[in-house]
């Protein structure tokens, strides 16, 4: 495993360069047409075409309907009786945006007046400049059903302009759908310099906004008759805020808690910009206010754990610290709080608030499961789909090209084994810009009972198909400590894991892969079920799935 | 138990924009301490739509919640002219002048300290910026409408704007010692103020020039200058953290030069040394009952400060500056009877009418008078007695604390992932060092600098 | 920075020199207090006279004759024994934010040999400020890490530590805590557990060494003041005063104490009400406080700290009250007053700052009540001494008639009617 893993990673890191000549390392596609036959098409929220077909050509949907003629020059997807949905649209995330390096922050003599970039005020920067088209983020977003992601630069108070990109896996220029879509804002402070507090951030935002209004007046007058007028010279930050003040650009403002929602709404009411509340985790206390303000809300799906799951801990806490009465009260309140969180999206639906989902903080990895929880707690499936398709499409101004599976739109489709939020529904194919991605449906695993820890010791095979690595993995237990050894099938080399931790039926450990003086730290997370495991191998260069199954001891 | 939770949670749900904030209550047969009109035995107070409608004997009203206050003391809700409760941010410590920031942008209606203050009869507090800067941020006067979770709902609408100034060790430590920029001395401090006022004047002039057609454009919008200009115009009351007599005297002279009248000195431990000057200027003083010696600039203090100031004609109040003291300001006020022998009414004025005057809200609260807002604290035993126990606290005619409905966990919001509420060890000295709310956020800031 | 500190230090030295002249001298005299309501604490309340002779209470009775001694008419007034604060830094810290005036906290985890009595400043400005409120005796203690030092009970009058020493010492220990130290303490739960385990190991290691030392040192050994300081504790001659507050920590501390044969006193004990039965069962005396402090948990009832002493007392725990203060130890009667109002009752709250701490410190034969033969630490006042407005009119410490003066009263006298006033 060792040497190959490294080799593969090194190859992956090399930039793909096109020289305008035929490259026989690339496969030339047989056809640009894809035909989906006998599928159940959920073409737009609330509408279903039973056993219809879809024809995709050059990355676009060209026909949707019941009795389409099967073309003879198309790739026919055997998707019989599968469900087709428009691919999801991520309302905002940092997918594929490069992380900033943790360098020393520059020294500022007067921390009260730092340069704008040190203060985190860079509303003019474009997300596109920070996109890493090779990022594994885009692959995992696609795997979860997203065809389009709306991304914001990372940063502090005003990180910059957002961009809409496709998850088609193509080159950076090809995946860009729209640049400078909106401005991204947060109540995030700049340590050690102004604004070092949230109240400083709000003050600075107001000031910039009013300065941009003034700058605009100046610029308009100057451009019509400059004679005798001072030449407008305004900072990049002020200039970049002008479209916001003219409502030509929305502000996606991150507001995690109900308190922050109140604050951001107050700011919007005062200044009057076009607001999209983004990455809201706690919305239940403010549903009415949000409703009356008519502001769309992008929910961050970071659901709390179900309270019952920690019963044992609670007993211990009670014994050690609280009284029975207090524990009882606390338990009731926690249960209520949990209900508030899992029921709040349904409350938004009922109130008629325009909502979608963003993934700045929470990762969509558990989205399907979480959507099921929301649906069990009153959210309609239709509203869930809307929040993932038509709502963000409309907010981002891309309704004409995305959000539904209708003729003329981008061929961004999910093809799943069952209605998408049904339990055990799996994505079989994704089409993004007409490109087909097929996923292996894993056989249903024997489920262990909730909370019951299984014995994970034993010998397993493992496979990391992305790296072409495989071999055996032995888990053994001595008293309370685990030992994990991986043996490469090719060269028989052994690697022993370090920092092994087990949490329920999950295990994580680190490996140090060394080869020719080149060494790399790899961290591995595995989820075990009765006879097998799946998980991920994470390196500095990206992540890859790993899976394996128990070798029959007999 | 369950009831309480349901009640709280249902309040939680009824919040929102149009949450009810004014109520009707009839308080029967109490000993009513009016502050402005003596003590009335066996007297009723009727509150309608959040306002005191009538004070008298044998009042009756239909469809009104009635509280039997027989044997109890009914006084105006206590007002704290200096606190940092209900705030998520206290100090924007990055600059010696941060007039532009506003702690009202960071209100935290969930803070359980509000409930604890109510349990001490306090209905209004002055939520202040900290003392890291010579000119700190603007402050907010809040009503303790605990149960409301919209930050807007705890603002006291219509209360005058206020701003925090600070003299002496704190700003010198943060900027001079901490960052190597002026002010490092009390001399430097004076120039910071003069400079900031000059900036405000210049900005005002630029605005006037534009209005008079003498300039093509208004000055580029600058929040700090806007605020400094508003102070010069007399629209903002200054509340100045101060200790030493010399620095207090210095600020009086600076303000005189700029024609700024409204000033309340906060803490003002050596105010007693310049009491005649304070009185002559019309400056107010909001003091600790007995805090002293925790830093050098309060070493030459006396617990008789409030009494000396009051006797010299300075409008004086007793404040908390602490989530602990705010729970028993009635007791802190009583200390002026031990240290200086103030009468009951003089002592109670220090936590009712006088802080109301200092915050510019004396026409609305601070005494039990017809037409004033229905903020009331009901005590078992006289509020200045050590055995006083607050029973019911009413804000705008709504009961926000009732000792008979008190229970475990009065927090408004809990994190469902929280295991059990965290235990905090008490720090030996709550009024300085890391625990000093007046200097909250400062250590974080300074740590980033070094 | 250093410069500023030096300036402050110099300023302090200067001020200390002046201080001796600020408060008038006390007088040592035999005196008869006539016609008072004498609240003895241990023998009920007596209407009568009290005779102070040679620094001790010579007689309590009715119609005592002065026999030519000076006499103070106390008609309508009350006499109480001087209050005892079971935990302060009085005398060890002058200005807490000026580190060079802070002598309470030596560096190092194991410093039981640091003697509070060495660094108590008899001329601390806070001492007169404290005693004029009727607090005549305090336990002054080092603070800091695992074993911060040895504290001492002192009377608040005298010019040398020996003149002030009231005959009782205790070795201090901070029981490893699993609580958070403040809002700024952002350690993860795991880190807190780890830190606690580490601290418990440290405790065990030091304790084991001290035990060995205490056994082998019978015939003399190497000079080891650190371990030698533990010998009185291990031999049961001096109490070990254990600071512990959180419920689970208190339970662990009880378990730990039960394994040792020592005299243990728990201090702080802010969650004592949660484990009052255990504290009572194992007969561990408690010095709790401050009563005027915020609850330790956001979910606690608002009055937990007010009601904690009363709840522990009701369960049968021996409870004394402390302020844990430095410059405001004078608030001891108010702390007791709040405890009285919130369930403890006035009589018991009085005991909690008089006879109970005297018993806990093993000095009840001389302190803590008005009885014949006890040290004449007492004050005369015009009402209930817990009531905020009550005025203290006479103060005696070890028979010294102490003037009711302090920096605070002197500044009042000078500035109430400042001269010159507003004019130049």
């Amino acid at each position: 495993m060792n040497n190959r893993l490294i080799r593969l990673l090194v190859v992956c890191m090399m930039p793909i360069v096109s020289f305008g000549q035929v490259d026989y390392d690339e496969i030339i596609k047989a056809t640009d047409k894809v035909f989906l036959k006998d599928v159940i098409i959920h073409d737009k929220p609330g509408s279903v075409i039973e056993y219809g077909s879809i024809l995709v050509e050059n990355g676009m949907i060209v026909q949707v309907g019941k009795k389409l003629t099967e073309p003879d020059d198309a790739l026919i997807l055997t998707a019989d009786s599968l469900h087709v949905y428009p691919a999801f649209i991520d309302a905002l995330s940092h997918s594929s945006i490069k992380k900033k390096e943790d360098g020393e922050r520059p020294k500022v003599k007067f921390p009260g007046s730092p340069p704008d970039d040190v203060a985190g005020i860079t509303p003019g920067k474009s997300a596109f400049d920070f996109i890493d088209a090779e990022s594994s983020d885009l692959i995992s977003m696609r795997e979860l059903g997203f065809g389009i992601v709306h991304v914001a630069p990372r940063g502090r108070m005003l990180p910059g302009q957002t961009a809409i990109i496709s998850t088609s896996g193509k080159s950076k220029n090809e995946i860009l759908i729209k640049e400078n879509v909106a401005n991204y804002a947060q109540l995030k402070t700049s340590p050690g310099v102004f604004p070092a507090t949230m109240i400083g951030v709000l003050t600075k935002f107001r000031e910039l906004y009013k300065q941009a209004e003034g700058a605009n007046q100046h610029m308009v007058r100057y451009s019509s008759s400059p004679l005798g007028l001072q030449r407008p010279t305004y900072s990049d930050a002020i200039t970049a805020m002008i479209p916001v003040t003219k409502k030509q650009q929305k502000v996606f403002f991150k507001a995690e808690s109900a308190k922050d929602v109140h604050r951001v709404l107050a700011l919007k009411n005062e200044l009057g910009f076009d607001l999209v509340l983004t990455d809201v985790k706690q919305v239940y206390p403010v549903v009415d206010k949000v409703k009356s303000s008519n502001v769309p809300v992008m929910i961050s799906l970071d659901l709390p754990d179900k309270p019952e799951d920690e019963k044992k801990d609670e007993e211990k806490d009670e014994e050690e610290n609280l009284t029975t009465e207090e524990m009882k009260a606390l338990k009731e309140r926690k249960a209520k709080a949990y209900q508030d969180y899992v029921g709040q999206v349904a409350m938004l639906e009922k109130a008629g608030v325009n909502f979608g989902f963003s993934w700045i903080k929470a990762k969509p990895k558990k989205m399907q499961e979480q959507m099921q929880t929301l649906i069990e707690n009153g959210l309609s499936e239709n509203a869930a789909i809307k929040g993932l398709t038509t709502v963000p499409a409309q907010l981002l101004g891309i309704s004409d090209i995305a959000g539904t599976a209708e003729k003329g739109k981008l061929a961004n489709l999910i093809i799943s084994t069952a209605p998408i939020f049904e339990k055990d529904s799996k994505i079989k194919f994704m089409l993004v810009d007409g490109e087909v991605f097929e996923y292996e449906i894993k056989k249903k695993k024997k489920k262990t009972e909730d909370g019951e820890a299984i014995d994970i010791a034993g010998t397993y095979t493992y496979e990391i198909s992305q790296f072409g690595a495989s071999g055996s993995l032995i888990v053994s237990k001595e008293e309370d400590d685990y030992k994990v050894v991986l043996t490469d099938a090719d060269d028989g080399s052994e690697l022993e894991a370090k920092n092994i931790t087990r949490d329920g039926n999950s295990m994580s450990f680190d490996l140090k892969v060394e080869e020719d003086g080149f060494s790399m730290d790899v961290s591995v997370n595995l989820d075990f079920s009765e006879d097998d495991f799946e998980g991920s191998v994470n390196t500095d260069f990206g992540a890859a799935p790993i899976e394996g199954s128990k070798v029959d001891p007999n | 138990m369950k009831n309480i939770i349901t009640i709280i949670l249902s309040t939680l749900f009824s919040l929102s924009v149009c949450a009810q904030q004014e109520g009707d209550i009839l308080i029967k047969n109490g000993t009513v301490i009016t502050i402005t009109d003596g003590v009335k035995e066996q007297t009723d107070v009727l509150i309608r739509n959040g306002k005191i409608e009538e004070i008298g004997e044998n009042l009756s009203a239909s469809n009104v919640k009635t509280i039997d206050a027989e044997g109890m003391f009914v006084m105006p809700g206590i007002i704290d002219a200096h606190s940092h409760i209900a705030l998520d941010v206290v100090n924007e410590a990055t600059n010696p002048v941060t007039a532009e920031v506003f702690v009202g942008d960071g209100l935290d209606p969930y803070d359980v300290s509000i409930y604890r203050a109510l349990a001490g009869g306090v209905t209004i507090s002055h939520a202040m910026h900290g003392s890291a800067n010579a000119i700190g941020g603007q402050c907010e006067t809040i009503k303790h409408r605990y149960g409301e979770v919209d930050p807007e709902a705890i603002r006291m609408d219509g209360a005058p704007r206020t701003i925090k100034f600070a003299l002496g060790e704190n700003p010198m430590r943060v900027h001079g010692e901490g960052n190597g920029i002026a002010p490092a001395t009390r001399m430097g401090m004076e120039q910071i103020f003069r400079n900031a006022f000059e900036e405000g004047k210049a900005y005002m002039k630029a605005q006037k020039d534009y209005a008079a057609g003498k300039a093509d454009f208004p000055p580029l919008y600058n929040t700090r200058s806007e605020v400094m200009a508003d102070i010069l115009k007399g629209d903002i009351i200054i509340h100045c953290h101060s200790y030493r007599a010399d620095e207090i005297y210095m600020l009086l002279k600076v303000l005189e030069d700029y024609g700024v009248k409204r000033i309340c000195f906060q803490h003002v431990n050596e105010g007693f040394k310049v009491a005649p000057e304070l009185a002559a200027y019309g400056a107010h003083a909001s003091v600790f009952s007995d805090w002293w010696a925790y830093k050098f600039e309060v070493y030459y203090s006396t617990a008789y400060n409030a009494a000396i100031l009051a006797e010299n004609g300075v409008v004086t109040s007793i404040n908390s500056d602490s989530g602990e003291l705010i729970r028993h300001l009635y007791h802190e006020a009583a200390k002026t009877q031990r240290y200086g022998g103030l009468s009951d009414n003089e002592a109670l004025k220090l936590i009712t009418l006088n802080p109301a005057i200092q915050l510019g809200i004396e026409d609305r609260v601070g005494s039990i008078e017809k037409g004033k807002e229905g903020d009331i604290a009901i005590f078992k035993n006289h509020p200045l007695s050590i055995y006083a126990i607050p029973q019911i606290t009413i804000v705008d005619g709504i009961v926000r604390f009732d000792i008979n409905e008190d229970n475990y966990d009065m927090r408004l919001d809990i994190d469902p992932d929280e295991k059990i509420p965290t235990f905090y060890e008490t720090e030996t000295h709550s009024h300085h060092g890391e625990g000093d709310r007046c200097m909250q956020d400062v250590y974080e800031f300074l740590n980033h600098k070094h | 920075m250093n410069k500023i500190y030096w300036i402050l230090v110099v300023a302090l030295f200067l001020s200390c020199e002046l201080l001796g002249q600020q408060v008038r001298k006390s007088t040592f005299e035999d005196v008869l207090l006539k016609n008072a309501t004498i609240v003895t604490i241990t023998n009920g309340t007596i209407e009568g006279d009290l005779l102070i002779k040679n620094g001790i209470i010579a007689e309590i009775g009715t119609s005592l004759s002065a026999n030519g001694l000076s006499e103070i008419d106390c008609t309508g007034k009350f006499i109480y024994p001087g209050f005892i604060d079971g935990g302060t830094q009085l005398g060890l810290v002058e200005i807490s934010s000026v580190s060079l005036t802070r002598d309470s906290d030596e560096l190092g985890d194991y410093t039981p040999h640091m003697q509070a009595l060495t660094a108590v400043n008899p001329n601390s400005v806070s001492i007169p400020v404290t005693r004029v409120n009727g607090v005549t005796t305090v336990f002054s203690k080092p603070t800091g890490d695992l074993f911060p030092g040895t504290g001492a009970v002192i009377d608040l009058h005298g010019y040398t530590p020996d003149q002030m020493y009231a005959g009782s010492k205790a070795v201090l220990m901070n029981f490893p805590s699993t609580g958070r130290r403040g809002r700024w303490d952002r350690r993860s739960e795991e880190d807190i557990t780890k830190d606690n385990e580490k601290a418990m190991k440290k405790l065990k290691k030091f304790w084991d060494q001290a035990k060995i030392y205490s056994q082998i040192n019978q015939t003399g050994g190497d000079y080891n003041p650190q371990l030698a300081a533990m010998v009185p504790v291990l031999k049961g001659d001096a109490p070990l005063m254990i600071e512990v507050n959180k419920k689970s920590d208190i339970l662990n501390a009880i378990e730990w104490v039960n394994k040792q044969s020592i005299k243990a006193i728990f201090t702080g004990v802010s969650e004592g009400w949660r484990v009052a039965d255990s504290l009572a069962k194992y007969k561990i005396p408690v010095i709790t406080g401050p009563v005027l402090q915020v609850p330790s948990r956001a979910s606690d009832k608002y009055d937990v700290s007010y009601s904690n002493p009363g709840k522990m007392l009701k369960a049968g725990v021996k409870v004394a009250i402390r302020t844990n203060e430095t410059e405001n130890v004078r608030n001891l009667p108010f702390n007791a007053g709040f405890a009285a109002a919130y369930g403890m009752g006035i009589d018991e709250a009085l005991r909690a700052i008089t006879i109970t701490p005297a018993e806990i410190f093993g000095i009840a034969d001389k302190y803590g009540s008005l009885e014949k033969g006890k040290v004449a630490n007492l004050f005369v006042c015009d009402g209930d001494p817990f009531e905020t407005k009550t005025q203290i009119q006479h103060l005696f410490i070890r028979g010294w008639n102490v003037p009711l003066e302090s920096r605070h009263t002197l500044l009042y006298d000078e500035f109430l009617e400042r001269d010159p006033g507003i004019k130049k």
Side-chain angles (χ1 to χ4, degrees), chain B residues 112 115-116 119 177 272-274 276-277 280 290-296 299-304 307-308 311-312 323-324 327-328 330-331 334-335 337-340 344 384-390 401 403 406-409 411 420-429 431-432 434 437 444, chain C residues 1 4 8 11-12 15 89 94-97 125-126 129 133 177 179-184 186 245-246 270-271 292-299 301-302 306 324-328 330-331 334 337-338 340-342 346 384-391 407-409 411-412 415-416 418 421-422:
Chain B
V112 76
Y115 180 76
R116 292 175 182 162
E177 244 182 38
F272 67 93
K273 293 183 178 172
V274 285
E277 284 77 12
D290 62 2
W291 280 12
W292 74 294
Y294 47 93
K295 51 168 130 175
F296 189 68
Y299 193 47
Y300 296 92
S301 312
T302 171
Y304 294 81
I308 300 173
E311 300 286 348
N312 276 272
E324 202 287 301
R327 307 179 314 141
H328 45 79
Y330 50 96
H331 167 58
K335 286 178 182 169
Q337 301 195 299
R338 175 161 300 202
Y339 311 119
D344 285 359
L384 294 171
S385 163
I386 194 80
Y387 308 112
I389 298 181
F401 165 75
I403 198 167
D406 174 61
N407 218 316
Y408 302 109
D409 204 353
R411 290 174 299 168
I420 53 169
T422 310
F423 179 93
Y424 289 100
E425 296 284 352
T426 344
E427 286 154 81
T428 321
H429 284 274
H431 36 268
H432 49 78
E434 304 271 20
R437 289 275 284 167
E444 226 165 4
Chain C
M1 173 126 169
I4 289 180
L8 294 179
L12 275 178
S15 67
Q89 283 88 54
E94 194 62 26
I95 299 177
S96 51
S97 74
V125 179
S126 295
V129 171
N133 264 15
S177 165
R180 283 184 196 279
R181 297 172 203 131
R183 281 166 180 262
W184 47 271
R186 306 252 165 86
N245 285 294
K246 189 184 167 194
S270 61
E271 289 205 302
L292 297 174
Q293 68 174 335
V294 287
S296 310
R297 301 178 196 265
S299 61
K301 291 182 75 165
Y302 77 94
Y306 301 158
N324 210 23
E325 260 284 356
T326 303
E327 67 274 5
N328 274 339
R330 58 177 163 182
N331 286 334
F334 307 143
F338 264 75
Y342 285 82
I346 296 174
D384 178 347
F386 289 169
E387 279 293 9
T388 326
K389 68 176 168 202
T390 296
Q391 299 293 321
R407 171 171 290 173
H408 291 219
T409 66
L411 288 171
Y412 179 63
F415 285 99
L416 180 63
R418 202 186 74 187
I422 192 77

Side-chain angles (χ1 to χ4, degrees), chain A residues 368-379:
Chain A
Q368 196 165 2
E369 201 180 301
Q370 289 173 325
M371 283 294 174
Q372 281 158 13
T373 310
L374 298 185
I375 289 166
E376 279 163 25
N377 287 282
L379 179 67

Side-chain angles (χ1 to χ4, degrees), chain A residues 73-363:
Chain A
D73 57 349
L75 165 72
I76 312 290
L77 276 194
T78 45
D80 194 7
S81 301
L82 298 189
H83 291 255
V84 178
Y85 290 84
F88 299 148
I89 300 168
D90 153 28
L92 199 65
S93 70
H94 292 313
S95 303
S96 83
I97 300 290
K98 286 174 208 155
K99 285 203 173 106
K100 288 214 176 94
E101 276 156 38
D102 287 338
E104 280 253 317
R105 281 170 70 77
K107 281 218 163 69
V108 175
K109 180 165 184 195
F110 294 102
S113 44
D116 281 344
D117 58 333
V118 179
I121 302 168
T122 55
K125 280 194 179 168
S126 169
F128 187 65
D129 296 339
F130 304 100
I131 285 169
D132 170 16
E134 313 281 315
S135 161
S136 62
D137 290 354
L138 296 178
I139 300 168
S140 28
M141 287 303 273
R142 184 172 68 216
E143 201 172 341
L144 291 161
F146 290 91
I148 287 175
V149 292
H150 178 216
V151 295
R154 296 176 200 272
R156 300 189 182 278
M157 169 184 161
L158 284 162
Q161 310 274 324
T162 63
I164 302 172
I165 55 175
S166 152
T167 63
S168 63
K170 294 183 185 166
S171 72
K172 192 169 162 179
N173 283 317
E174 286 171 292
I175 61 174
L176 178 69
I177 295 175
K178 212 170 156 187
E179 213 181 339
N180 302 342
V181 178
N183 225 306
Y184 178 50
Q186 317 179 75
L187 295 173
K188 199 168 170 187
T189 60
S190 190
V193 298
F194 185 81
T197 61
M198 178 256 297
I199 62 174
V201 169
L202 286 165
T203 299
K204 189 69 197 178
F205 190 96
R206 274 190 203 104
E207 182 167 276
L208 263 183
Y209 193 94
K210 291 179 182 169
Q211 289 174 338
E213 284 176 333
N216 182 48
Q217 279 174 19
H218 189 169
M219 285 167 165
V220 168
R221 249 182 85 186
Y222 189 83
S223 66
S224 67
S225 69
L227 188 66
L229 289 184
Q230 227 180 331
R231 187 166 52 86
T233 47
Y234 294 100
S235 71
D236 291 351
I238 294 175
T239 322
M241 289 300 281
I242 291 177
V244 170
T245 63
K246 292 160 88 176
K247 292 200 178 192
Q248 288 165 349
Q249 209 176 38
K250 291 188 175 69
V251 179
F252 278 68
F253 214 126
K254 184 171 177 226
E256 197 175 316
S257 65
K259 263 193 295 193
D260 286 350
V261 170
H262 284 298
R263 285 164 186 155
V264 173
L265 279 177
L267 192 67
K268 176 229 150 62
N269 290 339
E270 182 188 335
L271 300 174
F273 55 92
D274 256 349
L275 169 68
V276 180
L277 283 165
T278 304
D279 236 39
V280 182
K281 190 182 162 189
Q282 184 197 35
V283 75
Y284 63 89
V286 286
V287 171
D288 290 346
K289 189 165 175 176
V290 165
K291 161 76 183 158
S292 62
S293 70
N294 225 357
V295 168
V297 179
M298 301 302 114
I299 295 290
S300 166
L301 260 194
D302 182 7
L303 297 181
D305 295 332
K306 218 174 174 179
E308 282 84 25
D309 299 340
E310 12 165 329
K311 210 172 167 190
K312 267 189 191 154
D313 277 351
E314 268 179 22
E315 275 161 16
K316 198 172 147 240
D317 290 338
E318 176 181 330
E319 195 180 295
E320 283 189 352
N321 287 308
L322 298 187
T323 64
T324 317
E325 274 167 299
E326 281 171 299
M327 264 335 269
K328 210 179 127 206
L330 184 64
K331 226 170 153 179
E332 278 173 33
R333 294 203 62 183
K334 277 164 79 169
K336 176 79 179 65
Y338 174 77
Q339 278 308 318
D340 287 335
Y341 277 96
V342 296
Q344 63 180 1
V345 185
M347 284 166 74
L348 287 178
E349 183 189 359
K350 220 170 134 195
V353 173
N354 209 12
F355 69 89
F357 300 92
S358 60
W359 314 94
I360 298 273
K361 194 164 178 210
K363 294 280 158 265

Side-chain angles (χ1 to χ4, degrees), chain C residues 119-139:
Chain C
V120 158
N121 175 9
N123 300 305
S124 168
V125 179
S126 295
I127 287 177
V129 171
T130 303
R131 67 190 178 203
V132 298
N133 264 15
V135 182
T136 59
T137 308
V138 304
F139 179 65

Side-chain angles (χ1 to χ4, degrees), chain C residues 18-95:
Chain C
L18 294 170
L19 286 178
Q21 299 154 23
Q22 285 192 354
V23 180
R24 273 183 298 132
K25 278 183 179 176
S26 308
T27 48
F28 191 72
E29 55 181 343
D30 296 342
V31 62
L32 179 65
L33 306 175
K34 285 288 286 180
N35 299 322
T37 303
I38 303 167
V39 183
T40 66
I41 305 295
T42 41
N43 293 316
T45 298
I46 299 160
E47 302 288 332
D49 315 328
L50 186 147
L51 179 66
I52 297 170
K53 238 181 171 173
N54 252 333
I56 60 165
I57 299 168
E59 201 71 60
I60 298 174
T62 45
S63 312
L64 296 184
S65 131
N67 283 338
L69 296 180
S70 63
E71 208 174 291
I72 297 174
D73 178 26
C74 296
T75 310
K77 303 207 166 105
F78 301 82
I79 307 177
Y80 284 86
F83 293 153
I84 303 171
D85 191 322
T88 74
Q89 283 88 54
L90 192 54
L92 292 175
V93 176
E94 194 62 26
I95 299 177

Side-chain angles (χ1 to χ4, degrees), chain A residues 51-53 65-69:
Chain A
Y51 297 96
S53 307
K66 274 218 158 193
K67 287 165 189 160
L68 303 187
T69 339

